Amino acid sequence: MNEQSALPGWVHGPARSAVLEFIRSVTTPGDSFVPASARIATFDNDGTLWCEKPLYVQADFLVRRFVAMVKEDPRRAQEQPYKAVVEGDREWLKDIYAHVPELLRGVTEAYEGITVEAFEAAVSDFFESARHPTLGVPYTEVTYRPMRELMALLTANDFKVYVCSAGGRDFVRAVCERVYDLPRDRVIGSATTLEYRDGHLYRTAGVEQPIDDGPGKPVHIWTRTGRKPLLAGGNADGDVAMLEAARFALLVHHDDAEREFAYDEGAEKALAAAQAQGWTVVSMKKDFKTVF
Amino acid sequence: MNEQSALPGWVHGPARSAVLEFIRSVTTPGDSFVPASARIATFDNDGTLWCEKPLYVQADFLVRRFVAMVKEDPRRAQEQPYKAVVEGDREWLKDIYAHVPELLRGVTEAYEGITVEAFEAAVSDFFESARHPTLGVPYTEVTYRPMRELMALLTANDFKVYVCSAGGRDFVRAVCERVYDLPRDRVIGSATTLEYRDGHLYRTAGVEQPIDDGPGKPVHIWTRTGRKPLLAGGNADGDVAMLEAARFALLVHHDDAEREFAYDEGAEKALAAAQAQGWTVVSMKKDFKTVF
């Protein structure tokens, strides 16, 4: 690793130095050395690897589907979450934690009963046509370049890099090779239940438990890798358990209203934990030379 | 791949030829070529990669624990599955499918509430001390050498090789590096539920659904890899769905009473499906030069 030229999208400052020093320490023979088999890096997706404002990418995908579902069956316009979507009820939609059961029902109903391949085709269609509402580019272009550089650097140092999303596992898999240069088996995430029948895998009405958020993240990571993360990156309160379980924790702070978005909502606990536990906080404004 | 010297533990015959021809076909440019990213191979464990008779390796592990649990609390001797174990009630223990709820209760109770690390230490202790009851060697030495050669050959041809066990995922992970030369993230299997608390992962009383058997196998494989298997190997009825989901299916037939065990019980449907669907049946007697 050439420490001068590594991570070219990062400003030479304390965050970049802490990351490089950690990678050096676990890959160099000595007390802190970690064998390659235990080098697991896990990154939250929304807000850590790609832009999550003004709405989650997957929320845009689902809203479009909900609108189509109401067209197919107008009676749905009287039921949540479809009602809020067709009426543009931002208040209802904003408070997602107050409406988890209705939203999960919508999420599972939206693509219930179709094969995993048909679902992937729907996701691919979305990424072909949809544009980020304020940046005006395809969603495949709203990943953070410095984070992609970090994932590549970790891979070059024999880490196994995973995306670990509270959002849909199979949603991210449809684009992980293209946007993150990661194979499909490196995506961990929440999922609807599946059923195998006559050679096909169908999406069913349940949600796999636990979802891949909060304390569910270290559970998913163990389930998939048989390890706790050596390095983890997140940006929000739902990432605290994963960050706390990791040897090196990195918290992306959204403080760049000009180039991206500035917000601490939903990250208050994570920012406090970073302070208390000495995690590396990455200021998008000060530490990222380029964002996208 | 040198087709003459490949798979030295296999007799030069139709099974070996079919396997080599399949590997050649998917790795050679042309109509049947499959890119490395989609080369997923999955193998059942008990009876496919290691010996499952006269009892499952993990059953031996659990029986020892059940005996210890009855010593700790003698009242358990009145309840199943502990009663059957301490009384040596072979009839009860033999018919595992009739006693799934009691057995699952025992399986989850046996190590409930301990950390994943403490569980792994218990498994490692077992493998240190236990011996196969008829072969007289440690259980780490009852894997099938021809199957290990096949896994290594697939790895050398850029397949990602997974163990896909109806038995315990974290049980197999304790020895996968040593016995199969596979990293821990390549083990798929059934599992108790886990809970993350204060930096630790604890085993809890539930069983992750679905279990990794029958139609649960392709579900687990998709969950973990985002793919259906390209090549799959099994030996029993619980493997039929996985084999049917694969492009190339291999069924290990236990027909060698002299060097291993001869039995078709529990594999009747698999043998019939192999016949009907043209799967490659591997006769341990005729196709394996050496077994262990």
Side-chain angles (χ1 to χ4, degrees), chain A residues 232-258:
Chain A
N235 76 300
D237 295 347
D239 303 322
V240 168
M242 172 177 73
L243 296 172
E244 176 186 281
R247 176 104 73 89
F248 184 91
L250 177 154
L251 188 74
V252 174
H253 187 203
H254 292 270
D255 58 0
D256 191 335
E258 206 169 307

Side-chain angles (χ1 to χ4, degrees), chain A residues 116-117 160 162 169-170 173 177 183-185 194 196 199 201 215 218 222-228 241 244, chain B residues 116-117 160 162 169-170 173 177 183-185 194 196 199 201 215 218 222-228 241 244:
Chain A
V116 291
E117 289 84 5
K160 288 181 184 170
Y162 289 84
R169 178 194 67 210
D170 290 355
R173 274 182 181 160
E177 289 173 340
R184 301 160 64 89
D185 55 305
L194 299 175
Y196 176 81
L201 285 157
W222 177 271
T223 296
R224 292 284 298 279
T225 70
R227 308 263 178 197
K228 290 175 186 163
E244 176 186 281
Chain B
V116 290
E117 289 83 4
K160 288 181 183 169
Y162 289 83
R169 178 195 67 209
D170 291 356
R173 274 182 180 161
E177 291 173 339
R184 299 159 66 86
D185 55 302
L194 298 175
Y196 175 81
L201 286 157
W222 178 271
T223 296
R224 291 285 298 282
T225 69
R227 309 262 177 199
K228 290 177 187 163
E244 173 187 281

Side-chain angles (χ1 to χ4, degrees), chain B residues 119-159:
Chain B
F119 177 74
E120 179 151 337
V123 178
S124 296
D125 283 350
F126 165 78
F127 278 102
E128 281 304 313
S129 59
R131 294 289 176 278
H132 187 281
T134 60
L135 301 167
V137 297
Y139 279 116
T140 49
E141 292 174 26
V142 301
T143 62
Y144 306 133
R145 182 170 147 186
M147 297 304 286
R148 285 189 277 118
E149 290 174 1
L150 174 55
M151 291 196 283
L153 181 66
L154 290 166
T155 299
N157 281 278
D158 295 329
F159 277 74

Side-chain angles (χ1 to χ4, degrees), chain A residues 6 9 27 29-30 45 58 74-75 83-84 90 94-95 97 105 142 172 175 206 218 240 255 286:
Chain A
T27 55
N45 190 40
Q58 196 174 1
R75 286 169 300 182
K83 188 169 184 290
R90 281 166 185 276
K94 223 171 114 180
D95 197 3
Y97 287 102
R105 189 186 141 210
V142 302
V172 178
V175 288
V240 168
D255 58 0
K286 294 183 201 143

Side-chain angles (χ1 to χ4, degrees), chain A residues 151-174:
Chain A
M151 290 195 284
L153 180 66
L154 290 165
T155 300
N157 281 278
D158 296 328
F159 277 74
K160 288 181 184 170
V161 175
Y162 289 84
V163 175
C164 183
S165 179
R169 178 194 67 210
D170 290 355
F171 182 77
V172 178
R173 274 182 181 160

